[in-house]
Amino acid sequence: MNTPMTSTIDPLPLLLGFTRALKAAGVPVTPDRAHGFVEATSLVGLDDQQATYWAGRATLCAGPDDLTRFDQVFEAWFDPRGDLPRRRDSGLPMPAAPSVPSVDGASGDEAGEDDGDDVLRAAATATEVLRHRDVAALDAAERQRLAAMFAALRPTAPVRRTARHEAWHRGRLDASRTMRDSLRRMGEPGDLAWRRRRVRPRRVVLLVDVSGSMSAYADALLRLSHRFVDTQSRAEVFTLGTRLTHVTRALRHRDADRALIAAGEAVPDWSGGTRLGETLRVFLDRWGQRGMARGSVVVVFSDGWERGDAALLGEQMARLQRIAHHVVWVNPHRGKPGYEPVQQGIAAALPFVDDFVAGHSMATFEQLVEVVGRA
Protein backbone atom coordinates (compact mmCIF):
# COMPACT_ATOMS: atom_id res chain seq x y z
CA MET A 1 0.00 0.00 0.00
CA ASN A 2 1.32 3.43 -0.90
CA THR A 3 1.80 5.88 1.90
CA PRO A 4 -0.02 9.21 1.56
CA MET A 5 1.95 12.07 0.09
CA THR A 6 3.35 14.45 2.65
CA SER A 7 2.69 18.18 2.62
CA THR A 8 6.23 19.10 1.53
CA ILE A 9 4.90 20.04 -1.92
CA ASP A 10 1.56 21.29 -3.18
CA PRO A 11 0.58 18.83 -5.95
CA LEU A 12 -1.80 21.19 -7.80
CA PRO A 13 0.85 23.50 -9.36
CA LEU A 14 2.90 20.44 -10.27
CA LEU A 15 -0.02 18.77 -12.07
CA LEU A 16 -1.21 21.93 -13.80
CA GLY A 17 2.36 22.69 -14.87
CA PHE A 18 2.50 19.22 -16.43
CA THR A 19 -0.71 19.86 -18.40
CA ARG A 20 0.72 23.17 -19.68
CA ALA A 21 3.93 21.46 -20.77
CA LEU A 22 1.86 18.76 -22.48
CA LYS A 23 -0.17 21.39 -24.33
CA ALA A 24 3.04 23.15 -25.40
CA ALA A 25 4.24 19.81 -26.80
CA GLY A 26 1.23 19.67 -29.12
CA VAL A 27 -1.30 17.58 -27.18
CA PRO A 28 -4.74 19.29 -27.24
CA VAL A 29 -5.25 19.58 -23.48
CA THR A 30 -8.53 21.35 -22.71
CA PRO A 31 -9.49 22.77 -19.29
CA ASP A 32 -11.97 19.91 -18.85
CA ARG A 33 -9.28 17.30 -19.46
CA ALA A 34 -6.89 19.07 -17.09
CA HIS A 35 -9.61 19.12 -14.42
CA GLY A 36 -10.28 15.42 -14.98
CA PHE A 37 -6.57 14.66 -14.66
CA VAL A 38 -6.34 16.50 -11.33
CA GLU A 39 -9.42 14.66 -10.01
CA ALA A 40 -8.14 11.27 -11.19
CA THR A 41 -4.73 11.89 -9.62
CA SER A 42 -6.35 12.89 -6.33
CA LEU A 43 -8.09 9.50 -6.29
CA VAL A 44 -5.08 7.32 -7.14
CA GLY A 45 -2.52 9.43 -5.25
CA LEU A 46 0.43 11.35 -6.71
CA ASP A 47 2.82 9.15 -4.73
CA ASP A 48 1.90 6.23 -7.04
CA GLN A 49 3.68 7.31 -10.20
CA GLN A 50 2.47 4.40 -12.32
CA ALA A 51 -1.14 5.17 -11.40
CA THR A 52 -0.51 8.87 -12.12
CA TYR A 53 0.85 7.90 -15.54
CA TRP A 54 -2.23 5.87 -16.49
CA ALA A 55 -4.56 8.51 -15.05
CA GLY A 56 -2.90 11.08 -17.29
CA ARG A 57 -3.11 8.90 -20.39
CA ALA A 58 -6.78 8.19 -19.76
CA THR A 59 -7.78 11.82 -19.21
CA LEU A 60 -5.35 13.94 -21.28
CA CYS A 61 -4.76 11.97 -24.51
CA ALA A 62 -7.35 12.41 -27.26
CA GLY A 63 -6.04 9.69 -29.58
CA PRO A 64 -3.14 7.40 -30.50
CA ASP A 65 -1.15 10.30 -31.99
CA ASP A 66 -0.87 11.89 -28.52
CA LEU A 67 0.62 8.87 -26.75
CA THR A 68 4.24 9.28 -27.83
CA ARG A 69 4.33 12.96 -26.90
CA PHE A 70 2.58 12.20 -23.62
CA ASP A 71 5.28 9.63 -22.75
CA GLN A 72 8.09 12.07 -23.61
CA VAL A 73 6.68 14.91 -21.55
CA PHE A 74 5.78 12.63 -18.63
CA GLU A 75 9.33 11.27 -18.45
CA ALA A 76 10.86 14.76 -18.74
CA TRP A 77 8.50 16.19 -16.09
CA PHE A 78 8.26 13.41 -13.48
CA ASP A 79 11.43 11.43 -14.18
CA PRO A 80 14.08 13.73 -15.71
CA ARG A 81 16.96 11.39 -14.82
CA GLY A 82 15.39 8.43 -16.65
CA ASP A 83 15.62 6.14 -13.64
CA LEU A 84 12.17 4.62 -14.04
CA PRO A 85 11.15 2.02 -16.64
CA ARG A 86 10.12 3.39 -20.03
CA ARG A 87 6.44 3.11 -20.90
CA ARG A 88 5.99 2.64 -24.65
CA ASP A 89 3.59 -0.33 -24.96
CA SER A 90 0.31 1.56 -25.17
CA GLY A 91 -1.63 -1.52 -26.22
CA LEU A 92 -0.78 -3.58 -23.14
CA PRO A 93 -3.07 -3.74 -20.12
CA MET A 94 -2.20 -1.59 -17.15
CA PRO A 95 0.85 -3.14 -15.45
CA ALA A 96 1.47 -3.32 -11.75
CA ALA A 97 3.27 -0.36 -10.29
CA PRO A 98 7.05 -0.88 -10.57
CA SER A 99 9.36 -0.33 -7.67
CA VAL A 100 11.13 3.02 -7.66
CA PRO A 101 14.92 2.85 -7.43
CA SER A 102 16.45 4.47 -4.41
CA VAL A 103 19.49 6.73 -4.50
CA ASP A 104 21.89 3.93 -3.52
CA GLY A 105 20.60 1.56 -6.25
CA ALA A 106 18.31 -0.61 -4.06
CA SER A 107 14.79 -1.38 -5.25
CA GLY A 108 11.77 0.46 -3.91
CA ASP A 109 10.72 -2.55 -1.79
CA GLU A 110 14.18 -2.87 -0.26
CA ALA A 111 14.58 0.81 0.42
CA GLY A 112 11.07 1.23 1.78
CA GLU A 113 8.00 2.97 0.48
CA ASP A 114 8.86 6.30 2.09
CA ASP A 115 12.19 6.41 0.23
CA GLY A 116 10.39 5.85 -3.09
CA ASP A 117 8.01 8.70 -2.35
CA ASP A 118 10.94 10.96 -1.56
CA VAL A 119 12.65 10.09 -4.86
CA LEU A 120 9.47 10.84 -6.83
CA ARG A 121 8.92 14.16 -5.12
CA ALA A 122 12.58 15.11 -5.48
CA ALA A 123 12.53 14.32 -9.22
CA ALA A 124 9.41 16.38 -9.86
CA THR A 125 10.68 19.27 -7.74
CA ALA A 126 14.10 19.22 -9.42
CA THR A 127 12.47 19.49 -12.85
CA GLU A 128 10.35 22.45 -11.77
CA VAL A 129 13.40 24.17 -10.26
CA LEU A 130 15.39 23.57 -13.47
CA ARG A 131 12.63 25.26 -15.50
CA HIS A 132 13.27 28.52 -13.62
CA ARG A 133 17.09 28.33 -13.50
CA ASP A 134 19.18 30.76 -15.52
CA VAL A 135 20.57 28.68 -18.42
CA ALA A 136 23.87 30.58 -18.20
CA ALA A 137 24.49 29.08 -14.73
CA LEU A 138 23.78 25.41 -15.57
CA ASP A 139 26.43 22.70 -15.53
CA ALA A 140 26.86 20.06 -18.25
CA ALA A 141 24.46 17.54 -16.68
CA GLU A 142 21.76 20.17 -16.20
CA ARG A 143 22.18 21.36 -19.78
CA GLN A 144 21.64 17.79 -20.96
CA ARG A 145 18.40 17.59 -18.97
CA LEU A 146 17.38 20.97 -20.36
CA ALA A 147 17.94 19.67 -23.90
CA ALA A 148 15.43 16.89 -23.19
CA MET A 149 12.92 19.52 -22.06
CA PHE A 150 13.48 21.46 -25.29
CA ALA A 151 12.60 18.30 -27.24
CA ALA A 152 9.12 18.35 -25.66
CA LEU A 153 8.55 21.99 -26.63
CA ARG A 154 6.27 22.41 -29.66
CA PRO A 155 5.78 26.04 -30.75
CA THR A 156 2.47 26.94 -32.36
CA ALA A 157 2.62 29.02 -35.54
CA PRO A 158 0.76 32.35 -35.51
CA VAL A 159 -1.91 32.62 -38.19
CA ARG A 160 -3.35 35.30 -40.46
CA ARG A 161 -6.65 35.53 -42.28
CA THR A 162 -6.61 35.47 -46.08
CA ALA A 163 -8.98 37.09 -48.59
CA ARG A 164 -10.37 33.68 -49.60
CA HIS A 165 -13.27 31.98 -47.85
CA GLU A 166 -14.10 28.38 -47.08
CA ALA A 167 -17.26 26.56 -46.10
CA TRP A 168 -17.81 26.36 -42.35
CA HIS A 169 -20.52 25.33 -39.94
CA ARG A 170 -20.90 28.87 -38.62
CA GLY A 171 -19.64 32.36 -39.35
CA ARG A 172 -21.01 34.63 -42.09
CA LEU A 173 -23.92 33.69 -44.34
CA ASP A 174 -22.78 32.40 -47.74
CA ALA A 175 -25.60 33.85 -49.86
CA SER A 176 -24.25 32.59 -53.20
CA ARG A 177 -23.92 28.98 -52.11
CA THR A 178 -27.28 29.11 -50.33
CA MET A 179 -28.93 30.36 -53.54
CA ARG A 180 -27.20 27.71 -55.69
CA ASP A 181 -28.35 24.95 -53.35
CA SER A 182 -31.90 26.30 -53.53
CA LEU A 183 -31.84 26.42 -57.35
CA ARG A 184 -30.68 22.80 -57.50
CA ARG A 185 -33.82 21.93 -55.57
CA MET A 186 -36.00 23.87 -58.04
CA GLY A 187 -36.35 26.82 -55.68
CA GLU A 188 -37.22 24.84 -52.59
CA PRO A 189 -35.68 26.38 -49.46
CA GLY A 190 -33.04 24.38 -47.63
CA ASP A 191 -30.32 24.78 -45.02
CA LEU A 192 -28.38 28.01 -44.92
CA ALA A 193 -24.72 27.85 -45.99
CA TRP A 194 -22.04 29.55 -43.93
CA ARG A 195 -18.46 30.55 -44.63
CA ARG A 196 -15.38 31.93 -42.93
CA ARG A 197 -12.12 33.43 -44.10
CA ARG A 198 -9.28 30.96 -44.50
CA VAL A 199 -6.26 31.19 -42.25
CA ARG A 200 -2.61 30.60 -43.11
CA PRO A 201 0.40 30.38 -40.81
CA ARG A 202 2.52 33.49 -40.53
CA ARG A 203 6.24 33.35 -41.07
CA VAL A 204 8.34 33.56 -37.89
CA VAL A 205 11.79 35.15 -38.24
CA LEU A 206 14.27 34.68 -35.39
CA LEU A 207 17.31 36.98 -35.11
CA VAL A 208 19.75 35.53 -32.55
CA ASP A 209 22.57 37.64 -31.12
CA VAL A 210 25.68 35.40 -30.83
CA SER A 211 28.12 38.10 -29.69
CA GLY A 212 30.39 37.72 -26.69
CA SER A 213 27.88 39.14 -24.20
CA MET A 214 25.28 36.58 -25.35
CA SER A 215 27.57 33.54 -25.65
CA ALA A 216 26.28 31.97 -22.40
CA TYR A 217 22.75 31.90 -23.86
CA ALA A 218 23.56 31.12 -27.50
CA ASP A 219 23.25 27.33 -27.14
CA ALA A 220 19.81 27.50 -25.51
CA LEU A 221 18.57 30.13 -27.98
CA LEU A 222 19.65 28.05 -30.97
CA ARG A 223 17.97 24.99 -29.47
CA LEU A 224 14.81 27.04 -29.14
CA SER A 225 15.25 28.22 -32.75
CA HIS A 226 15.66 24.61 -33.83
CA ARG A 227 12.26 23.79 -32.29
CA PHE A 228 10.66 26.56 -34.39
CA VAL A 229 12.36 25.35 -37.57
CA ASP A 230 11.53 21.71 -36.85
CA THR A 231 7.83 22.36 -36.20
CA GLN A 232 7.09 25.21 -38.65
CA SER A 233 7.82 25.15 -42.36
CA ARG A 234 7.97 28.96 -42.65
CA ALA A 235 10.39 29.70 -39.79
CA GLU A 236 13.67 31.46 -40.62
CA VAL A 237 16.70 31.95 -38.36
CA PHE A 238 19.60 34.43 -38.62
CA THR A 239 22.49 35.10 -36.26
CA LEU A 240 23.62 38.63 -35.43
CA GLY A 241 27.11 39.71 -34.42
CA THR A 242 29.60 41.64 -36.49
CA ARG A 243 27.80 40.24 -39.54
CA LEU A 244 24.51 38.56 -40.48
CA THR A 245 24.39 34.78 -41.10
CA HIS A 246 21.43 32.79 -42.42
CA VAL A 247 21.41 29.47 -40.49
CA THR A 248 17.97 28.07 -41.31
CA ARG A 249 19.38 25.34 -43.56
CA ALA A 250 21.81 24.23 -40.85
CA LEU A 251 18.96 23.97 -38.34
CA ARG A 252 16.89 21.76 -40.67
CA HIS A 253 18.58 18.67 -39.21
CA ARG A 254 16.03 16.72 -37.20
CA ASP A 255 18.64 15.94 -34.53
CA ALA A 256 19.13 19.04 -32.37
CA ASP A 257 22.79 18.36 -31.52
CA ARG A 258 23.72 17.91 -35.19
CA ALA A 259 21.77 21.04 -36.07
CA LEU A 260 23.65 23.10 -33.48
CA ILE A 261 27.00 21.79 -34.70
CA ALA A 262 26.09 22.70 -38.28
CA ALA A 263 24.96 26.16 -37.21
CA GLY A 264 28.16 26.70 -35.24
CA GLU A 265 30.23 25.82 -38.31
CA ALA A 266 28.23 28.26 -40.44
CA VAL A 267 28.63 31.26 -38.09
CA PRO A 268 32.01 33.01 -38.60
CA ASP A 269 31.63 35.66 -35.87
CA TRP A 270 30.73 33.50 -32.86
CA SER A 271 31.35 35.32 -29.54
CA GLY A 272 32.60 38.41 -31.33
CA GLY A 273 31.45 42.00 -31.25
CA THR A 274 27.97 43.44 -31.70
CA ARG A 275 26.78 45.68 -34.53
CA LEU A 276 23.04 45.26 -34.25
CA GLY A 277 22.16 48.32 -36.34
CA GLU A 278 24.38 47.33 -39.28
CA THR A 279 23.38 43.68 -39.31
CA LEU A 280 19.69 44.55 -39.01
CA ARG A 281 20.08 46.93 -41.97
CA VAL A 282 21.65 44.13 -44.01
CA PHE A 283 18.77 41.84 -43.10
CA LEU A 284 16.13 44.39 -44.12
CA ASP A 285 17.90 45.38 -47.35
CA ARG A 286 18.60 41.83 -48.52
CA TRP A 287 15.73 39.75 -47.09
CA GLY A 288 13.25 41.65 -44.95
CA GLN A 289 12.16 44.49 -47.25
CA ARG A 290 11.68 42.04 -50.14
CA GLY A 291 9.16 39.96 -48.26
CA MET A 292 10.68 37.75 -45.56
CA ALA A 293 9.81 40.17 -42.75
CA ARG A 294 6.68 41.61 -44.38
CA GLY A 295 3.66 40.50 -42.36
CA SER A 296 5.86 38.20 -40.24
CA VAL A 297 6.43 37.83 -36.52
CA VAL A 298 10.04 38.88 -35.93
CA VAL A 299 11.78 37.87 -32.70
CA VAL A 300 15.09 39.51 -31.74
CA PHE A 301 17.19 37.74 -29.09
CA SER A 302 19.72 40.20 -27.69
CA ASP A 303 20.81 41.96 -24.52
CA GLY A 304 21.03 45.26 -26.42
CA TRP A 305 24.76 45.91 -26.00
CA GLU A 306 25.41 47.88 -29.20
CA ARG A 307 28.99 48.71 -30.11
CA GLY A 308 27.93 50.51 -33.26
CA ASP A 309 25.64 53.48 -33.74
CA ALA A 310 22.58 53.23 -31.47
CA ALA A 311 20.74 55.79 -33.62
CA LEU A 312 21.18 53.48 -36.63
CA LEU A 313 19.67 50.62 -34.62
CA GLY A 314 16.66 52.80 -33.80
CA GLU A 315 16.21 53.67 -37.50
CA GLN A 316 16.33 50.01 -38.57
CA MET A 317 13.93 48.96 -35.82
CA ALA A 318 11.51 51.61 -37.07
CA ARG A 319 11.80 50.12 -40.58
CA LEU A 320 11.24 46.65 -39.18
CA GLN A 321 8.14 47.70 -37.25
CA ARG A 322 6.60 49.24 -40.38
CA ILE A 323 6.80 46.03 -42.44
CA ALA A 324 6.48 43.29 -39.77
CA HIS A 325 3.20 42.20 -38.25
CA HIS A 326 4.63 41.89 -34.73
CA VAL A 327 8.08 42.55 -33.23
CA VAL A 328 9.24 40.77 -30.08
CA TRP A 329 12.50 41.58 -28.28
CA VAL A 330 13.83 38.87 -25.96
CA ASN A 331 16.43 39.98 -23.40
CA PRO A 332 17.98 37.38 -21.03
CA HIS A 333 18.36 40.04 -18.34
CA ARG A 334 14.74 41.21 -18.56
CA GLY A 335 13.49 38.84 -15.85
CA LYS A 336 16.29 39.42 -13.35
CA PRO A 337 15.83 41.57 -10.24
CA GLY A 338 17.01 45.14 -10.60
CA TYR A 339 17.30 45.14 -14.38
CA GLU A 340 16.63 48.43 -16.15
CA PRO A 341 16.75 48.83 -19.97
CA VAL A 342 19.30 51.65 -19.90
CA GLN A 343 21.78 50.34 -22.52
CA GLN A 344 21.93 52.55 -25.62
CA GLY A 345 20.92 49.74 -27.95
CA ILE A 346 17.90 48.52 -26.03
CA ALA A 347 16.79 52.09 -25.26
CA ALA A 348 16.85 52.92 -28.98
CA ALA A 349 14.96 49.74 -29.95
CA LEU A 350 12.21 49.63 -27.30
CA PRO A 351 9.93 52.31 -28.85
CA PHE A 352 9.52 50.04 -31.89
CA VAL A 353 8.93 46.76 -30.03
CA ASP A 354 5.48 45.24 -29.47
CA ASP A 355 6.55 42.80 -26.73
CA PHE A 356 9.63 43.03 -24.50
CA VAL A 357 10.03 39.70 -22.71
CA ALA A 358 12.59 37.77 -20.67
CA GLY A 359 14.59 34.88 -22.10
CA HIS A 360 16.91 33.32 -19.54
CA SER A 361 15.16 30.10 -18.46
CA MET A 362 12.99 27.30 -19.76
CA ALA A 363 9.93 28.89 -18.14
CA THR A 364 10.53 32.17 -20.01
CA PHE A 365 11.04 30.25 -23.29
CA GLU A 366 7.66 28.58 -22.78
CA GLN A 367 6.10 32.01 -22.23
CA LEU A 368 7.80 33.30 -25.37
CA VAL A 369 6.30 30.42 -27.38
CA GLU A 370 2.85 31.51 -26.18
CA VAL A 371 3.56 35.17 -27.07
CA VAL A 372 4.63 34.22 -30.61
CA GLY A 373 1.71 31.81 -31.06
CA ARG A 374 -0.91 34.44 -30.31
CA ALA A 375 0.82 37.34 -32.13
Side-chain angles (χ1 to χ4, degrees), residues 187-198:
E188 291 293 331
D191 295 334
L192 297 178
W194 305 93
R195 66 177 185 173
R196 69 167 184 175
R197 292 177 64 177
R198 292 180 179 177

Side-chain angles (χ1 to χ4, degrees), residues 115-134:
D115 293 341
D117 294 340
D118 292 340
V119 171
L120 174 59
R121 289 193 296 272
T125 304
T127 302
E128 184 65 19
V129 170
L130 183 61
R131 288 181 61 250
H132 296 276
R133 289 278 305 279
D134 190 331

Side-chain angles (χ1 to χ4, degrees), residues 267-282:
V267 177
D269 55 343
W270 197 277
S271 298
T274 311
R275 295 193 180 100
L276 294 176
E278 295 179 17
T279 52
L280 190 57
R281 180 173 60 185
V282 172

Side-chain angles (χ1 to χ4, degrees), residues 156-168:
T156 303
V159 297
R160 65 178 179 88
R161 292 185 176 183
T162 68
R164 295 181 179 273
H165 291 79
E166 62 181 353
W168 199 241

